[in-house]
Amino acid sequence: MDASLVNFDITNSSAPNHWTKIMKNVEWTSSLTSALQHKQLNGNHIHICQKGDFTNYPGIPMPSISTYPSYVGPVTERVQDCLSNSSTPETMSTTTASALESASQKPKPTMTPSESYMHSAVLDEDGKYTLYWSYNETSIVFEAHVQTTGWLGLGISPNGGMAGADIAIGWVGHDGQTFFKDRYATAIGKPPIDPHQDWLLLSGKREGGFTFLKFTRLLDTKDCEHDLPITSDTIRVIWAYNNAIPESEDGMTYHGPATRGSKSINLLEPAQNKDALLPASAVRYDFLNRNVSVPAEKTTYWCEAFKKPSINTKQHLVKYAPVIQKGNKGVVHHMILFACYTPFDESLLERGYNCYDSSKPDTMIGCGNPMALWAVGGEDFYFPPDVGFSLGAVGDPTYFILETRYDNPQQRTDIIDNSGIMLWYTPEIRKYDAGLAEVGTLVGDFMMIPPRQKSFQISGICNSNCTQAAIPPEGIKTFAYILHTHLAGRKIHVRQYRDEQLVDVLAHDDNYDFNYQQMRWLKKEKTIMPGDSLIVDCFYSSTDRASLTLGGIATTEEMCVTYIYYYPRSEFSSCQSLVSPRDQFSVLGMNESLANFDVESTDEPNHWTKFLQNAQWTPSLTSALQRVQLKGENYHICQKGDASQFPELPPLISKYPSYVGPVKDRVQDCLSSNASTVSTTVSALEMTTTTADNSANSQVKGFTVGIIVLFLIQMCI
């Protein structure tokens, strides 16, 4: 264009002879493109250097001209383009992980701790606050590495805030002396010094812009006025720091909103030698969603199918880990990788499906055997050294379904996701094959939680008939579990009964956090025998809700389930229950008019749930419904991994076991005014209740049977 530049307008882009109009019609051959790229990296550059008011700096001639700096090398790509059209679904799964994995890694600690600790965690997103800790039967030792030259604080909170928190604050003074005090908080503000000093300093120093404090305390200090016990429940750890060194004991400067936060942690998680649990022969295989355009719905359960790894001999799955796409941390809530045992249909690879939509292919029905689970807050999971999940052998999974739950409260339309689960498997076969079972309540509308309740209990029963049929004579050993409710859940207990006697509490969390759900190791493996009963008790708070909460898959609905890893693998897969709708409707005064309610479509104006949403939830009505939850009939399912029922079992209907007592709190509520032990019972509720109508008319019985049949059909798909 040099010879004819005078023929081009360069100021008015709307002019027909503006130079960009000519360029639009250029034939972009490879040689022309290469030549232009060469000029971008080797030609002259015209520079400007302006102030905020667009004036030039007086000492610098403008415009200045220079070539591209010769000392600047090429940019090295950090990740592969995993989304190129040339990638097949299978190769896309294996190549995308490296990019996504790097985005999911947590910031690494920058300094070496003073000793080898059982656990560590980076508490903030910037990687400036790292906490190390170890514990024994009576006490715990912390070591905090914080990028600050001022004070730092660490605390245990009942809810993630300051009020009621048990706090330790310390710093290294100008003279090198370390200051450290046990404190407590009753509200937002500077926490006063605890008159009983239970947090004890071990050492402290300031070096290289970091402050290091090492300190200890008893797990239970017995100080119920100002301290909180450290248990195996979820602990809300709060943290803060400030770069100013206090000039006095109470001279801490406000930390500010950017240098404080909270993180849910299981401080008493059993330690694992993870390096020893992953053999050198392990091979990684990835199951990653393929460019999912997340629907503009508040909650979506998305399913995609995947081929099994190309292995023809038995291998053992020994580890799995999440891969969360950068930017989607708040969108991906949990993922379940289901193992399928029917012949694989190649057409399943063509697209994903809403997991619970009627458009789901028939070939996906019955693919309901969970193999790997991850939920928000969870980390990598390693199987015990003598246990692995079998892959590649006759009777092992033929393909897999990845179920991903997406939370999209703003109902955005621009979210694309490639998150998933990575597996590691090895040809080194271990002694036992692992299995996974789901126990708790069936998910559906007939799970009801009244509004404005501080504590309401829902219980699921895995009864003895099911375990007798599903568990081998020698029993099974459980080694890990994951507890699950939604936003209203506050605590969960899983109790084991044998011959009508309490054997053990298999799992528990009295401080449940919906945003911290991870597979947890048991400190000691526990045996479940055929004929045992498992009771899953979930407690909910609906004080912030004005209407009835029903069971369902949405975040604002509720669930009550526990997944249990065990060995050796058997057909024990799903053992759940549902409180009789007949009994619930009876106490709600709906029996005489049930024929007037639609029971199939919740969109219908006369659906029974519409009636309940408008109900007046008086104390007597609420207590009556609570009594039915703990005294009414229960309908049970007992399923194999392919979602089929055990044929030798008749339809199971039973009362809530009379030998099962109330769940008792394991720790004292140290924030109560009288420091008394809180007993989680329903005795107060039972005072004003009446029993369910056991003589319900045949219309109600027929209605209930129809409901259960519809519900079980829905569960099977």
Side-chain angles (χ1 to χ4, degrees):
M1 294 172 62
D2 282 354
S4 54
L5 276 176
V6 293
N7 298 325
F8 296 103
D9 188 299
I10 62 173
T11 58
N12 183 9
S13 61
S14 62
N17 66 331
H18 188 258
W19 67 273
T20 57
K21 301 292 194 302
I22 306 300
M23 299 299 292
K24 293 289 186 183
N25 299 318
V26 169
E27 292 292 330
W28 288 99
T29 62
S30 298
S31 59
L32 182 59
T33 302
S34 298
L36 183 60
Q37 177 69 92
H38 179 76
K39 282 295 183 183
Q40 293 291 332
L41 302 182
N42 295 280
N44 290 329
H45 286 250
I46 300 174
H47 306 272
I48 65 168
C49 183
Q50 292 181 333
K51 302 178 183 180
D53 60 1
F54 299 103
T55 61
N56 294 323
Y57 287 89
I60 304 176
M62 286 290 135
S64 62
I65 300 175
S66 72
T67 59
Y68 190 89
S70 59
Y71 55 81
V72 176
V75 175
T76 302
E77 286 195 87
R78 298 169 48 248
V79 297
Q80 293 177 324
D81 180 8
C82 304
L83 306 181
S84 62
N85 292 330
S86 60
S87 297
T88 64
E90 186 167 351
T91 58
M92 187 186 303
S93 290
T94 57
T95 58
T96 308
S98 59
L100 300 183
E101 185 179 6
S102 64
S104 67
Q105 295 300 311
K106 298 179 179 180
K108 299 298 183 183
T110 57
M111 303 294 289
T112 303
S114 63
E115 62 178 88
S116 177
Y117 286 93
M118 295 168 64
H119 301 290
S120 67
V122 178
L123 302 188
D124 65 324
E125 293 185 357
D126 297 326
K128 294 183 178 182
Y129 199 128
T130 301
L131 184 67
Y132 301 86
W133 71 95
S134 292
Y135 67 90
N136 57 30
E137 293 298 321
T138 60
S139 61
I140 187 167
V141 176
F142 295 102
E143 186 170 324
H145 291 199
V146 185
Q147 191 174 335
T148 181
T149 56
W151 65 265
L152 66 89
L154 184 77
I156 299 168
S157 167
N159 52 24
M162 281 197 69
D166 180 8
I167 302 172
I169 295 178
W171 63 88
V172 179
H174 296 287
D175 59 357
Q177 181 181 353
T178 302
F179 297 84
F180 186 85
K181 289 292 183 182
D182 180 358
R183 298 171 180 267
Y184 66 95
T186 57
I188 297 175
K190 189 176 299 182
I193 295 174
D194 191 332
H196 194 276
Q197 291 290 297
D198 294 301
W199 296 74
L200 304 175
L201 178 69
L202 298 177
S203 64
K205 67 176 181 177
R206 184 175 63 246
E207 180 181 300
F210 279 76
T211 296
F212 309 89
L213 294 182
K214 185 175 181 180
F215 45 95
T216 184
R217 57 155 280 181
L218 294 175
L219 298 179
D220 187 358
T221 66
K222 308 299 183 183
D223 179 3
C224 285
E225 185 176 3
H226 298 136
D227 290 352
L228 294 177
I230 296 175
T231 70
S232 57
D233 297 331
T234 298
I235 300 294
R236 269 77 164 184
V237 174
I238 61 174
W239 57 270
Y241 63 90
N242 186 282
N243 285 324
I245 298 176
E247 299 297 333
S248 65
E249 197 173 59
D250 284 319
M252 296 89 69
T253 307
Y254 174 58
H255 46 66
T259 53
R260 63 161 172 83
S262 67
K263 186 180 183 69
S264 289
I265 300 177
N266 179 11
L267 290 174
L268 302 189
E269 180 183 5
Q272 297 175 321
N273 183 359
K274 295 180 178 179
D275 292 335
L277 295 176
L278 185 64
S281 61
V283 176
R284 198 181 89 186
Y285 192 87
D286 305 331
F287 297 93
L288 306 179
N289 285 303
R290 299 179 282 262
N291 280 350
V292 175
S293 178
V294 178
E297 304 287 342
K298 292 183 178 180
T299 303
T300 299
Y301 284 75
W302 188 258
C303 283
E304 295 211 8
F306 297 86
K307 293 181 178 179
K308 69 180 181 68
S310 299
I311 51 177
N312 298 316
T313 58
K314 182 170 181 172
Q315 311 271 308
H316 259 161
L317 167 65
V318 294
K319 174 191 173 181
Y320 63 81
V323 182
I324 308 301
Q325 179 164 323
K326 187 176 182 179
N328 288 359
K329 184 177 179 181
V331 177
V332 180
H333 180 270
H334 74 245
M335 297 178 288
I336 304 177
L337 188 65
F338 290 96
C340 309
Y341 295 87
T342 55
F344 180 63
D345 182 354
E346 292 281 346
S347 66
L348 292 175
L349 296 176
E350 296 176 2
R351 65 183 180 93
Y353 302 87
N354 189 310
C355 300
Y356 301 99
D357 190 83
S358 58
S359 65
K360 183 172 68 172
D362 291 342
T363 48
M364 292 175 67
I365 297 174
C367 184
N369 194 18
M371 186 183 77
L373 302 95
W374 172 88
V376 61
E379 299 179 353
D380 301 359
F381 181 79
Y382 296 77
F383 285 82
D386 56 350
V387 179
F389 203 101
S390 183
L391 300 173
V394 175
D396 282 348
T398 53
Y399 68 101
F400 298 88
I401 299 293
L402 177 64
E403 174 186 296
T404 306
R405 171 181 164 151
Y406 293 114
D407 284 342
N408 186 9
Q410 283 77 42
Q411 298 179 289
R412 290 168 49 191
T413 60
D414 61 341
I415 302 174
I416 303 296
D417 185 64
N418 291 277
S419 302
I421 292 178
M422 304 180 290
L423 306 182
W424 282 261
Y425 59 86
T426 174
E428 300 177 29
I429 304 304
R430 299 178 173 184
K431 185 176 181 180
Y432 299 106
D433 288 343
L436 185 66
E438 179 183 15
V439 296
T441 63
L442 288 164
V443 181
D445 292 341
F446 301 111
M447 177 181 174
M448 308 179 200
I449 302 170
R452 309 299 185 193
Q453 300 304 301
K454 185 176 181 180
S455 180
F456 193 85
Q457 181 178 347
I458 300 288
S459 297
I461 303 170
C462 174
N463 74 0
S464 57
N465 290 333
C466 182
T467 62
Q468 188 69 51
I471 293 177
E474 66 274 15
I476 57 176
K477 292 186 180 297
T478 178
F479 57 89
Y481 64 91
I482 188 171
L483 307 170
H484 181 66
T485 74
H486 290 169
L487 290 173
R490 294 297 180 267
K491 65 181 181 180
I492 311 174
H493 283 229
V494 183
R495 295 181 286 173
Q496 177 186 8
Y497 285 83
R498 184 178 303 151
D499 298 328
E500 301 189 358
Q501 299 295 319
L502 179 65
V503 175
D504 207 344
V505 177
L506 291 182
H508 55 75
D509 194 338
D510 287 337
N511 202 22
Y512 177 81
D513 184 354
F514 174 73
N515 293 310
Y516 180 70
Q517 301 180 58
Q518 67 172 358
M519 189 66 72
R520 298 186 179 186
W521 279 63
L522 290 167
K523 288 185 178 180
K524 184 179 180 181
E525 294 176 349
K526 300 182 179 182
T527 301
I528 302 174
M529 297 297 294
D532 286 357
S533 297
L534 304 178
I535 312 296
V536 182
D537 299 293
C538 298
F539 296 83
Y540 304 88
S541 173
S542 60
T543 55
D544 59 344
R545 303 189 180 193
S547 58
L548 181 71
T549 298
L550 299 174
I553 62 176
T555 303
T556 53
E557 296 172 327
E558 274 306 331
M559 297 177 68
C560 176
V561 298
T562 297
Y563 293 96
I564 299 174
Y565 262 128
Y566 68 88
Y567 71 87
R569 184 176 69 179
S570 71
E571 292 184 315
F572 183 50
S573 179
S574 180
C575 185
Q576 298 171 280
S577 71
L578 168 72
V579 174
S580 163
R582 180 190 65 203
D583 286 356
Q584 295 186 80
F585 290 155
S586 176
V587 300
L588 296 174
M590 295 174 61
N591 279 353
E592 295 180 0
S593 54
L594 278 178
N596 299 326
F597 295 101
D598 188 289
V599 299
E600 294 186 8
S601 175
T602 56
D603 295 329
E604 295 295 329
N606 66 328
H607 189 258
W608 63 271
T609 57
K610 303 293 193 299
F611 170 82
L612 288 180
Q613 294 292 1
N614 297 321
Q616 295 296 317
W617 288 100
T618 61
S620 59
L621 183 61
T622 300
S623 59
L625 184 61
Q626 177 68 97
R627 179 180 177 86
V628 168
Q629 294 293 330
L630 302 183
K631 300 295 182 181
E633 286 186 340
N634 282 266
Y635 294 84
H636 305 269
I637 67 164
C638 184
Q639 292 182 335
K640 303 177 182 180
D642 60 1
S644 65
Q645 305 288 328
F646 285 87
E648 62 272 24
L649 291 178
L652 301 177
I653 303 175
S654 71
K655 291 281 189 179
Y656 187 90
S658 59
Y659 54 82
V660 175
V663 174
K664 294 182 179 180
D665 274 334
R666 298 164 49 248
V667 297
Q668 287 185 321
D669 180 3
C670 298
L671 304 180
S672 63
S673 58
N674 59 3
S676 61
T677 302
V678 176
S679 176
T680 311
T681 67
V682 293
S683 57
L685 298 176
E686 295 178 358
M687 292 170 57
T688 57
T689 61
T690 58
T691 59
D693 183 9
N694 291 326
S695 59
N697 57 46
S698 59
Q699 176 191 28
V700 177
K701 292 181 179 178
F703 170 83
T704 302
V705 172
I707 289 297
I708 298 302
V709 171
L710 286 172
F711 189 86
L712 292 177
I713 291 175
Q714 184 183 34
M715 287 297 298
C716 291
I717 62 174

